[in-house]
Amino acid sequence: MTETTTTATRPARPVRQLLAASVGNAVEWYDWYAYTFLATYIAAQIFPKSSGSPLVPLLSTFAVFAVGFFMRPVGGLLLGAVADRRGRRTALTVTILLMGGSSLLVGLTPTYASVGVLAPIVLVLARLLQGLSVGGEFAASTTFLVESAGPGRRGLFSSFQYVSTTAGQLAASGIAALLVSRLSDGQMDGWGWRVPFVLGALLSLVGFWIRRGAHETHAPAERTERPGLFDALRKYPRQSLLICGITAGGTISYYTWTSYLPTYAELNGGFEKSDALLAGTISLAFFAVLQPLGGLLSDRIGRRPLLLFFGLGFALLIVPLLKIVGGGVTFGTLVLVQCAGMVLLTGFTSISAAVNAEIFPARVRASGIGFPYSLTVALFGGTAPYMGTLFKEIGNPGLFAWYVAALCLVSSAVFFRLPENAHKELEK
């Protein structure tokens, strides 16, 4: 039986489709992750210093990080609906322009010393816009990638969701590490932390230009046939809950291992900022290489085995792995531990887009994925850095690992009941 896309003819140039999705997605996530890697510098400049714990400004910065995540369900719902009604390409061009503008706003945010409380207000506004953009980006790019895939290649194509995400994160981590190593503390506090955000705004224009030339995979619906904003939730409640269960363990593991771990190593393992960022950069490069391998494997053996490998593996190993990092290990050991976690994480990330897209029909695929996925990410992924720092603040950082393990077990229970759709046609 031959797989079909949502259009009558398959795009003739799938490599170009991958490029359009991947380049734009990389720019989107570069802008998003630059905030995480420069959190300690933003905290010092945008929030007032506390007379109590020095962790309070950092907690405030991570709280704003979480606030951005809570706009992601709104973006997933609204821009997912745009993708279902007007086409995937239209939604993808909107998301990258939103991200570019909000990234520039972060880079131009005034300091608390110069404008007082207006500084954190501007930062919150920028993060809200970024959250709106990222929520819509995942919904639209997930459907775009999977619908662009040829027969037996949905897993491979879906892996480029995290190849490009990691490329953006890698660029953000690498540029942050370069700036930290080359500039003095005074220069970083003064203007150095702003450079990545201004650069991200410029790169967004490049991504916009590339996406404008992409082939549409889902023709805009006629006015009378356009799905309602909440059609996916109303008509497919079981599928919506399924995406929440699949995502809970995956999102907290992903953000813990790829975003928060450098800060965790700094706070609990005594690492210098530059060393922690460098270790994260090396492990991210390794992670990017693994993604297509995981996608290809899932096209052969199915999605469920890889998901269980991730869920059960992380549930069993997250506690000892984080304990090693917090024990003051060498730089080499830190890199090895991070890479070990990346192998486990690949069981989820390499096929997440395919698993989600295979659950919904084309008519509501983008909005059906966007809202429940982004809501779950907001609840568990977006709060991961804050929860980790909070456990440190209350004097028991080890509890954070158990929290992650529990969510991975919940998702593993869902994986056991997940229908195997790897070798079935996409639903029209």
Side-chain angles (χ1 to χ4, degrees), residues 5-154:
T5 59
T6 56
T7 55
T9 60
R10 187 175 302 283
R13 300 174 65 183
V15 173
R16 184 172 182 176
Q17 295 294 94
L18 282 176
L19 181 64
S22 300
V23 172
N25 198 45
V27 173
E28 283 263 348
W29 288 97
Y30 163 85
D31 291 339
W32 179 260
Y33 281 116
Y35 182 94
T36 307
F37 291 123
L38 295 165
T40 53
Y41 296 100
I42 296 173
Q45 297 302 310
I46 306 302
F47 295 95
K49 292 181 173 60
S50 171
S51 58
S53 170
L55 286 176
V56 171
L58 184 59
L59 280 171
S60 300
T61 309
F62 281 141
V64 176
F65 181 80
V67 164
F69 270 86
F70 279 95
M71 278 299 289
R72 288 178 63 165
V74 179
L77 185 64
L78 295 180
L79 295 173
V82 170
D84 288 332
R85 296 177 182 184
R86 300 288 187 177
R88 318 306 190 204
R89 185 178 61 183
T90 299
L92 288 173
T93 54
V94 171
T95 60
I96 201 163
L97 288 177
L98 274 175
M99 181 58 78
S102 55
S103 179
L104 183 61
L105 188 57
V106 173
L108 299 179
T109 300
T111 65
Y112 186 87
S114 62
V115 298
V117 71
L118 181 61
I121 291 175
V122 171
L123 184 65
V124 168
L125 175 61
R127 289 300 287 181
L128 289 175
L129 291 174
Q130 283 189 326
L132 187 73
S133 172
V134 168
E137 172 68 22
F138 185 88
S141 64
T142 291
T143 53
F144 180 83
L145 274 171
V146 176
E147 289 170 357
S148 296
R153 287 291 180 264
R154 291 201 302 261

Side-chain angles (χ1 to χ4, degrees), residues 74 77-82 85 226-233 367-368 371:
V74 179
L77 185 64
L78 295 180
L79 295 173
V82 170
R85 296 177 182 184
R226 291 174 185 170
L229 191 62
F230 296 100
D231 270 11
L233 288 173
S367 56
F371 182 74

Side-chain angles (χ1 to χ4, degrees), residues 165-220:
T165 297
T166 305
Q169 190 173 359
L170 193 59
S173 175
I175 290 174
L178 179 64
L179 289 170
V180 169
S181 65
R182 296 294 182 181
L183 300 180
S184 66
D185 288 343
Q187 290 173 321
M188 281 299 301
D189 287 334
W191 56 269
W193 67 270
R194 300 179 185 272
V195 172
F197 299 104
V198 176
L199 177 61
L202 296 175
L203 291 174
S204 295
L205 296 178
V206 177
F208 171 77
W209 176 74
I210 293 174
R211 284 185 165 179
R212 290 280 294 175
H215 180 94
E216 180 59 71
T217 63
H218 181 73

